[in-house]
């Protein structure tokens, strides 16, 4: 039975000299991997390698929907190609960072329309925005709510944040407790309406400290979470 599903490209690896394996977050089946033979050959073909740029949104047609199996793509239609994301060096590296995070946190082979819609709408905003310095940070913070690990708001204006329990506390009582300016910023972000153009983080040090905090939080709450390799390049670009 042939099926088609809207999909977000998470990345691809070479399978042979001419073939690749593409990993996608599909709207109908969750995370799936597809083998595409001969796509890197010089022969003219209807499926192009450029359609599988990271985070592109495509419609995949396949005849295999079994979980855990490597599927074969019969046809691909590009739905949204992100031109500014793929041409702007800063946007490109932010997208690379986000795709690495998504590969670590989205592993389930079942549909999740809320997360799929959130990622799609966020990327469309990112593509069209000229003020996006905090996009990746705020994206990860909002994603925690969809993953079920959203930190509590700082209702009592406490000075410390307990990474392990995801809440603000009055005293520093553990190795997983953090204080200082980054916690003041974190408290403000969680206490405001979500907006990618949030102006709380205005300088390099604030952004670096915030992303370090969030990645540590993900490491504690997402089993097997890996720090994205692209974070070093991203920090260098912002500096």
């Amino acid at each position: 039975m042939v099926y088609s599903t809207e999909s977000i490209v998470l990345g691809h690896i070479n399978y042979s000299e001419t073939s690749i394996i593409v990993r996608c977050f599909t709207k109908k089946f969750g995370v799936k991997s597809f083998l595409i033979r001969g796509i890197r050959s010089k022969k003219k073909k209807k499926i192009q390698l450029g359609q599988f740029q990271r985070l592109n949104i495509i419609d995949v047609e396949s005849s295999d929907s079994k979980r855990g199996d490597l599927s074969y793509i019969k046809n691909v239609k590009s739905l949204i190609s992100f031109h500014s994301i793929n041409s702007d060096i800063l946007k490109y590296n932010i997208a690379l960072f986000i795709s690495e995070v998504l590969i670590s946190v989205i592993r389930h082979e079942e549909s999740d329309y809320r997360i799929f819609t959130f990622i799609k709408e966020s990327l469309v905003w990112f593509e069209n925005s000229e003020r996006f310095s905090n996009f990746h940070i705020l994206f990860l913070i909002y994603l925690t709510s969809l993953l079920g690990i959203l930190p509590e708001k700082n209702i009592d204006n406490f000075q410390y944040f307990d990474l392990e329990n995801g809440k603000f506390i009055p005293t520093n009582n553990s190795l997983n407790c953090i204080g200082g300016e980054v916690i003041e910023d974190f408290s403000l972000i969680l206490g405001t309406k979500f907006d990618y153009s949030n102006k709380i983080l205005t300088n390099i040090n604030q952004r670096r400290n915030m992303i370090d905090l969030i990645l540590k939080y993900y490491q504690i709450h997402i089993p097997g979470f890996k720090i994205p390799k692209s974070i070093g390049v991203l920090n260098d670009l912002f500096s």
Side-chain angles (χ1 to χ4, degrees):
M1 178 178 177
V2 176
Y3 73 87
S4 66
T5 177
E6 193 173 353
S7 306
I8 298 169
V9 179
L10 298 180
H12 69 263
I13 59 173
N14 293 337
Y15 179 72
S16 66
E17 289 187 3
T18 60
S19 303
I20 63 172
I21 294 176
V22 179
R23 190 172 187 179
C24 294
F25 180 38
T26 72
K27 192 171 185 178
K28 288 184 179 179
F29 305 106
V31 175
K32 284 193 69 65
S33 294
F34 301 92
L35 174 61
I36 308 176
R37 296 187 183 277
I39 193 169
R40 302 175 72 93
S41 69
K42 295 181 180 180
K43 294 180 180 179
K44 189 175 182 180
K45 44 203 171 296
K46 61 180 180 180
I47 300 178
Q48 302 294 320
L49 187 60
Q51 293 175 294
F52 301 102
Q53 291 260 26
R54 286 177 186 266
L55 302 182
N56 273 4
I57 298 175
I58 59 179
D59 186 80
V60 172
E61 185 179 297
S62 176
S63 59
D64 181 11
S65 61
K66 293 180 181 178
R67 294 182 178 182
D69 292 343
L70 195 61
S71 302
Y72 294 89
I73 289 180
K74 297 174 69 67
N75 194 23
V76 174
K77 179 167 58 176
S78 296
L79 299 179
I80 303 177
S81 296
F82 296 111
H83 301 292
S84 75
I85 291 176
N86 290 318
S87 61
D88 182 293
I89 188 169
L90 188 52
K91 279 192 174 185
Y92 177 84
N93 280 279
I94 288 175
L96 177 60
F97 170 80
I98 288 174
S99 68
E100 285 189 80
V101 170
L102 292 176
I103 287 172
S104 273
V105 302
I106 303 177
R107 304 169 191 160
H108 44 281
E109 295 179 346
E110 58 185 30
S111 62
D112 193 321
Y113 289 179
R114 288 199 312 151
I115 293 181
F116 187 94
T117 301
F118 162 69
I119 297 171
K120 178 181 176 180
E121 292 179 351
S122 299
L123 291 174
V124 170
W125 183 95
F126 184 41
E127 165 72 12
N128 295 314
S129 176
E130 296 181 356
R131 302 182 66 180
F132 53 84
S133 297
N134 296 327
F135 171 77
H136 57 305
I137 297 173
L138 296 166
F139 178 93
L140 294 194
I141 291 175
Y142 193 71
L143 183 59
T144 61
S145 67
L146 300 176
L147 296 173
I149 57 170
L150 178 67
E152 293 182 6
K153 292 182 180 180
N154 192 7
I155 298 174
D156 298 308
N157 294 317
F158 290 147
Q159 296 180 333
Y160 299 93
F161 182 71
D162 182 342
L163 286 166
E164 188 170 358
N165 294 300
K167 63 181 181 180
F168 293 88
I169 55 177
T171 58
N172 186 344
N173 61 6
S174 75
L175 293 175
N176 288 318
C177 188
I178 296 178
E181 183 184 15
V182 66
I183 297 307
E184 294 177 13
D185 293 337
F186 193 48
S187 176
L188 289 172
I189 290 172
L190 291 175
T192 59
K193 183 179 179 180
F194 183 78
D195 183 355
Y196 286 132
S197 59
N198 192 300
K199 298 177 182 179
I200 292 172
L201 306 176
T202 58
N203 62 60
I204 296 167
N205 289 332
Q206 281 180 303
R207 293 190 186 104
R208 284 189 175 183
N209 292 336
M210 185 62 68
I211 199 64
D212 285 345
L213 169 70
I214 296 168
L215 291 178
K216 287 177 183 176
Y217 186 75
Y218 269 70
Q219 274 189 306
I220 290 173
H221 293 275
I222 304 292
F225 179 79
K226 297 179 181 179
I227 299 295
K229 295 178 181 178
S230 56
I231 186 61
V233 175
L234 197 57
N235 284 336
D236 289 342
L237 285 171
F238 269 113
S239 64

